[in-house]
Amino acid sequence: MLSRFSVSKVCQISSITRNVVRFTNGKDAVKHIPKRNLQTHTQTGWRSWDAVKKPTGITAENAGRAVLGGASAAAIAGLCFYGLGLSNEVGAIDVARFWPEEMRARVKSTYLYFTGSLGLTAVSAFYMSRTQAIYRMMGASPWLVIGGSMVAMIGSSILCQAIEYEKGLNAKHFAWAVHSGVVGVVIAPMILLGGPLVARAAVYTAGTVAGLTLTAACAPNDKFLTWGGPLSLALGGICVASLGGMFLPASSAAVPVINSLVTYGGLVIFGGFMLYDTQKIIKQAEISTYRGQKYDPINSSIGIYMDTINIFIRILMIMSGNNRKK
């Protein structure tokens, strides 16, 4: 069972919990806590690197923005290059017309489960944000939130992937719905940033994911499948830096560097994972179809689902930071 749950997925989940804890322990959360509870919550010792005076000149955040800008330019260039047919190699979208009907159905079902996961997560996060339980979650110990969130998400993900897929409503679908709902509960505190901001971040995320998916579809079949190892190593570094930064005092000069690395660097890495996981879905559907093997659309959709959640969180954090500077 554990062999089916890669280390990269653990890092993805820990990245989600760390960013949620960073929010719930920062100044953003204080604005949304009812006045009757403000004194209680501020006494828990929240700290935020955003509250520290930042140096002028070239900062870690500016460097992160530059890296993100360069990655975005490269992604747009790649989309134009492959989308306009300038490459001499045949892209996945070029041979899609020759796919067997069974393969088309498998890819389609994967993206239907992907869409369903996002819908369940959104509904779960919205209803959680409307309850008093979210304030108790924000007032709890950061390590308790991290530990509980990781156990819940990893456990539900392992359970979901361990159950064999069968058509029709069954235990597999129940575990899939539970996992999507758990992720929604974990990210619910970020909904308190405000509906308009969250909605804009969701729209930007949808555009980003659509562009990356189209790039992967237009590129040659195996173009991004070799990226799995390097991306996992980079994600491991982000995970270590993310957790290590929680032990540093807010006044440390390393904290802004770590937060920029986790936010901007993480956004670039998960963009790369979206390219990789998209082509992985096509490859798995192709191999299982021609070899007559069973195909699990739920397990195949989890990769792009977690990529999208991580991209959304980072876009929301960046937009929140920009709003505070206005």
Side-chain angles (χ1 to χ4, degrees), residues 261-281:
L261 175 65
V262 171
T263 302
Y264 294 99
L267 186 54
V268 173
I269 290 172
F270 284 110
F273 265 114
M274 180 59 70
L275 296 171
Y276 167 76
D277 287 328
T278 299
Q279 290 203 335
K280 185 179 177 182
I281 289 172

Side-chain angles (χ1 to χ4, degrees), residues 243-310:
L243 296 177
M246 299 190 67
F247 293 96
L248 298 175
S251 58
S252 172
V255 173
V257 177
I258 291 175
N259 281 282
S260 294
L261 175 65
V262 171
T263 302
Y264 294 99
L267 186 54
V268 173
I269 290 172
F270 284 110
F273 265 114
M274 180 59 70
L275 296 171
Y276 167 76
D277 287 328
T278 299
Q279 290 203 335
K280 185 179 177 182
I281 289 172
I282 298 174
K283 195 68 173 179
Q284 287 178 337
E286 180 183 11
I287 292 175
S288 63
T289 298
Y290 288 109
R291 294 183 180 179
Q293 300 172 344
K294 274 193 170 184
Y295 180 77
D296 191 332
I298 292 181
N299 286 1
S300 296
S301 69
I302 289 179
I304 54 175
Y305 164 67
M306 295 301 294
D307 298 337
T308 302
I309 294 296
N310 276 285

Side-chain angles (χ1 to χ4, degrees), residues 8-294:
S8 64
K9 293 297 183 294
V10 176
C11 292
Q12 286 178 332
I13 288 174
S14 67
S15 183
I16 291 175
T17 57
R18 195 272 181 183
N19 277 283
V20 171
V21 169
R22 176 184 165 194
F23 165 72
T24 58
N25 286 275
K27 296 175 71 176
D28 293 318
V30 177
K31 297 185 295 183
H32 302 282
I33 296 176
K35 290 182 179 180
R36 64 180 181 275
N37 293 331
L38 181 59
Q39 183 177 3
T40 302
H41 283 281
T42 53
Q43 289 176 350
T44 61
W46 284 349
R47 62 184 179 86
S48 172
W49 71 274
D50 294 309
V52 181
K53 184 177 180 180
K54 298 174 184 171
T56 57
I58 300 177
T59 62
E61 185 174 2
N62 291 335
R65 290 174 182 271
V67 172
L68 180 59
S72 301
I76 294 174
L79 178 58
C80 294
F81 180 73
Y82 293 117
L84 296 176
L86 300 178
S87 173
N88 294 326
E89 301 177 83
V90 178
I93 199 171
D94 298 321
V95 298
R97 72 187 78 171
F98 304 113
W99 287 354
E101 189 60 34
E102 184 179 2
M103 181 177 172
R104 290 173 180 270
R106 290 180 174 185
V107 173
K108 180 180 178 181
S109 62
T110 300
Y111 278 91
L112 287 176
Y113 281 114
F114 165 62
T115 305
S117 295
L118 294 178
L120 288 170
T121 299
V123 171
S124 174
F126 174 76
Y127 280 103
M128 179 65 180
S129 68
R130 309 286 291 182
T131 66
Q132 288 297 316
I134 195 170
Y135 297 108
R136 290 194 291 271
M137 178 180 175
M138 294 168 65
S141 166
W143 291 110
L144 180 61
V145 174
I146 287 181
S149 299
M150 288 190 65
V151 168
M153 286 198 290
I154 291 175
S156 60
S157 183
I158 290 177
L159 177 63
C160 177
Q161 295 183 66
I163 301 175
E164 187 173 350
Y165 176 79
E166 298 290 345
K167 292 184 178 180
L169 295 177
N170 47 53
K172 176 80 170 183
H173 291 82
F174 176 75
W176 162 71
V178 168
H179 175 60
S180 301
V182 167
V183 174
V185 170
V186 171
I187 68 173
M190 305 193 78
I191 304 300
L192 298 181
L193 286 171
L197 183 64
V198 173
R200 280 166 46 209
V203 171
Y204 293 160
T205 301
T208 302
V209 170
L212 291 170
T213 301
L214 187 58
T215 301
C218 293
N221 283 334
D222 301 330
K223 186 68 177 180
F224 302 114
L225 289 179
T226 59
W227 288 20
L231 285 172
S232 296
L233 290 175
L235 181 58
I238 292 289
C239 180
V240 171
S242 175
L243 296 177
M246 299 190 67
F247 293 96
L248 298 175
S251 58
S252 172
V255 173
V257 177
I258 291 175
N259 281 282
S260 294
L261 175 65
V262 171
T263 302
Y264 294 99
L267 186 54
V268 173
I269 290 172
F270 284 110
F273 265 114
M274 180 59 70
L275 296 171
Y276 167 76
D277 287 328
T278 299
Q279 290 203 335
K280 185 179 177 182
I281 289 172
I282 298 174
K283 195 68 173 179
Q284 287 178 337
E286 180 183 11
I287 292 175
S288 63
T289 298
Y290 288 109
R291 294 183 180 179
Q293 300 172 344
K294 274 193 170 184

